[in-house]
Amino acid sequence: MPSLTLPECARYVPPPVTQEDLDFADLAIIDLSMAHTAEGRAELYPQLRDALRTNGFVYAINHGYTQAQRDRVFDIADVPFTVVPPDEMKTYSANIEKVGYYAGYKPRQYWKVDTENQVLDQIDHYGLNRDVRQRPHPQALRPLLPELDAFARHNHFNILHPILRLIALSLELPEDTLVEKHNFDRAGQSSGSYQRTQEEEEKSKNVWLKGHTDIGSITILWSQPVGGLQILSPDGKWRWIRHLDNALVINTGDMMEFFSGGYYKPTIHRVVQPPEDQRTYNRLGVFYFTMPDDDVRLLPCADSPVLQKVGIQRRCPDEEAPMSEVWRRSRTTKYGRTDLKKGAEKNTEEEVIEGIIVKHYN
């Protein structure tokens, strides 16, 4: 019989929320508990559809983890940065450009934040594959792997799959159309990752991570109190994301744009210096980045009656559509490493990935 006693782990005390009067985005809140029944899904998918097609970000509540379980996740997330010695961190450095995904420590000053001024990032990042035992981890994390495995499975089956079913319903497709492309035990690199950022402002105009879209299909962010995340609103203004206790922040990425034929655009977002009353705190984040199975070709779901009605916007001809693994590797190895060219649109820079133009936003 398994032990009911959890391994010891220092308590992470979250900083207080900002008291500043910020321009927050007005995001919809969906109740994921409604996704457990067919009737609930029928009521919920229009809400999710409208939220993702306007702001691109949506809050999700009642996702199956209690506040105490959520707090324990952040306790564990702090371990790679506060418990693991620096020498051991080097042993578990991520070889991002070789493997094409984030596994282990991404060191600071790996990404270019400002190409023109050669400003580099100040983000510590520890990434795990959804199969948390796929690669070795620092000693301090090893007793916590069963909990990390449970966390990855919860994100995948209890959050991602319901979201994918709702999106399929919004396209008038069979519910499991997208679920079947996102298996847990098939080859692929969906990952849980933890970030800690610290202040270092140079010439980047307080931007820590420039405006970008995520590589995969769906990103699940566990809301945390230190501000910094902003989205590019439909009116062209950058707005802050407000912290909601034990809520998720959900957004779509590049691969969902491929699947939905442009119906769901990848959400443009960035990370900036926190509000003034939070700048003395580290910013700890927990994310679950999801990718389809490696052998899935990134083709639009052309059978969708919705897409047939509104029209399919392809980023490339179907015969040139990349495989999931190819897109993931190409985007990951080049992100923040290549010198970007000035884009055709104002305040944008561009690079070409697998023959497809990818934009970054200043």
Side-chain angles (χ1 to χ4, degrees):
M1 183 175 178
S3 171
L4 298 179
T5 303
L6 297 176
E8 288 189 12
C9 183
R11 186 69 203 279
Y12 169 74
V13 179
V17 297
T18 181
Q19 298 301 309
E20 292 193 26
D21 183 19
L22 303 176
D23 186 10
F24 287 108
D26 184 18
L27 302 185
I29 302 174
I30 64 166
D31 183 348
L32 270 186
S33 68
M34 295 173 60
H36 297 325
T37 67
E39 296 78 11
R41 291 192 291 276
E43 183 179 345
L44 199 57
Y45 84 75
Q47 300 175 29
L48 179 66
R49 176 199 63 204
D50 294 346
L52 292 180
R53 281 175 56 80
T54 51
N55 283 310
F57 270 59
V58 62
Y59 293 112
I61 59 173
N62 296 329
H63 45 69
Y65 260 31
T66 65
Q67 182 72 46
Q69 288 173 305
R70 177 265 181 207
D71 292 347
R72 173 70 176 182
V73 168
F74 275 78
D75 294 345
I76 295 172
D78 201 36
V79 169
F81 310 109
T82 59
V83 179
V84 179
D87 287 346
E88 192 179 7
M89 287 183 181
K90 295 177 183 177
T91 303
Y92 296 95
S93 294
N95 194 344
I96 301 165
E97 291 185 287
K98 180 179 179 180
V99 302
Y101 62 94
Y102 300 102
Y105 288 98
K106 180 209 76 66
R108 292 189 188 194
Q109 301 189 333
Y110 179 81
W111 294 321
K112 296 177 182 177
V113 176
D114 187 316
T115 300
E116 182 179 351
N117 295 305
Q118 294 299 301
V119 178
L120 303 178
D121 79 276
Q122 294 296 321
I123 296 176
D124 295 318
H125 182 291
Y126 189 82
L128 304 87
N129 184 265
R130 64 176 175 244
D131 177 0
V132 299
R133 292 182 172 84
Q134 181 168 312
R135 61 182 302 280
H137 300 285
Q139 180 68 39
L141 276 178
R142 294 172 197 170
L144 305 168
L145 288 179
E147 291 176 83
L148 288 169
D149 176 67
F151 180 66
R153 291 176 183 275
H154 180 75
N155 278 274
H156 204 90
F157 293 111
N158 300 332
I159 300 170
L160 170 64
H161 279 186
I163 293 290
L164 293 177
R165 290 189 178 99
L166 294 172
I167 290 177
L169 286 172
S170 76
L171 298 174
E172 298 179 16
L173 291 166
E175 283 193 7
D176 284 346
T177 299
L178 296 171
V179 168
E180 291 168 353
K181 301 178 188 295
H182 295 76
N183 292 284
F184 190 85
D185 298 318
R186 291 273 300 279
Q189 299 298 336
S190 295
S191 65
S193 58
Y194 310 105
Q195 285 189 167
R196 183 182 63 176
T197 60
Q198 290 185 337
E199 176 183 355
E200 182 174 316
E201 309 305 323
E202 299 180 30
K203 303 173 185 177
S204 63
K205 300 177 182 178
N206 297 333
V207 174
W208 284 5
L209 202 58
K210 70 174 60 180
H212 65 283
T213 60
D214 289 339
I215 296 169
S217 47
I218 298 291
T219 298
I220 301 166
L221 163 65
W222 290 71
S223 185
Q224 53 92 11
V226 178
L229 178 62
Q230 294 182 337
I231 64 170
L232 187 59
S233 298
D235 62 3
K237 294 182 179 179
W238 291 101
R239 288 189 167 87
W240 296 79
I241 299 299
R242 187 190 304 274
H243 169 62
L244 297 183
D245 244 2
N246 200 24
L248 309 173
V249 182
I250 308 288
N251 69 275
T252 53
D254 293 344
M255 294 187 185
M256 189 56 69
E257 181 181 26
F258 282 111
F259 289 143
S260 69
Y263 191 76
Y264 290 109
K265 302 291 187 184
T267 311
I268 302 165
H269 56 286
R270 68 180 184 180
V271 180
V272 299
Q273 185 182 33
E276 188 171 354
D277 61 355
Q278 292 185 319
R279 289 179 189 171
T280 59
Y281 300 104
N282 284 330
R283 184 173 184 271
L284 181 70
V286 177
F287 311 81
Y288 190 72
F289 296 102
T290 70
M291 312 274 178
D293 304 341
D294 279 352
D295 60 358
V296 169
R297 188 171 292 280
L298 301 178
L299 290 167
C301 297
D303 292 339
S304 162
V306 172
L307 299 188
Q308 291 172 3
K309 181 179 179 180
V310 303
I312 295 174
Q313 300 175 21
R314 291 174 168 85
R315 295 186 69 174
C316 63
D318 285 356
E319 61 272 16
E320 298 176 12
M323 302 294 284
S324 172
E325 180 182 18
V326 171
W327 184 255
R328 185 245 313 154
R329 286 182 176 272
S330 297
R331 282 282 270 126
T332 302
T333 55
K334 294 180 180 179
Y335 180 79
R337 305 293 285 175
T338 56
D339 290 329
L340 305 175
K341 296 182 179 179
K342 187 175 181 179
E345 298 177 21
K346 184 180 179 181
N347 295 328
T348 64
E349 295 172 304
E350 297 177 351
E351 60 181 331
V352 178
I353 306 291
E354 300 300 320
I356 298 169
I357 294 176
V358 174
K359 298 177 183 179
H360 301 262
Y361 301 80
N362 293 330

